[in-house]
Amino acid sequence: MIDYDEEIKKFQPSLEVDDVEDAVYKSNTTDVTEIIDRIIKETIEKDGALK
């Protein structure tokens, strides 16, 4: 059975929208489109052109 008192003790509220927005913008993650763009550029540089 669920012990609600124990669960409430473990509860941590989620970030507010502004906090999440700041966390996302401050992170330095690579977007999928950036990865694809990098792969295409490397392929062009390596092969001279897309085949």
Side-chain angles (χ1 to χ4, degrees):
M1 208 150 160
I2 296 175
D3 183 0
Y4 289 102
D5 292 329
E6 195 63 35
E7 292 299 319
I8 287 176
K9 288 178 189 175
K10 294 190 288 184
F11 175 75
Q12 293 184 8
S14 62
L15 295 173
E16 294 295 326
V17 172
D18 291 336
D19 295 333
V20 171
E21 192 174 69
D22 289 341
V24 169
Y25 285 125
K26 288 179 184 176
S27 69
N28 189 14
T29 57
T30 305
D31 188 290
V32 172
T33 57
E34 292 172 346
I35 294 171
I36 293 171
D37 188 43
R38 188 180 309 155
I39 291 170
I40 291 171
K41 286 179 182 178
E42 289 174 2
T43 303
I44 290 172
E45 290 172 0
K46 181 180 173 186
D47 297 339
L50 290 176
K51 294 181 179 181

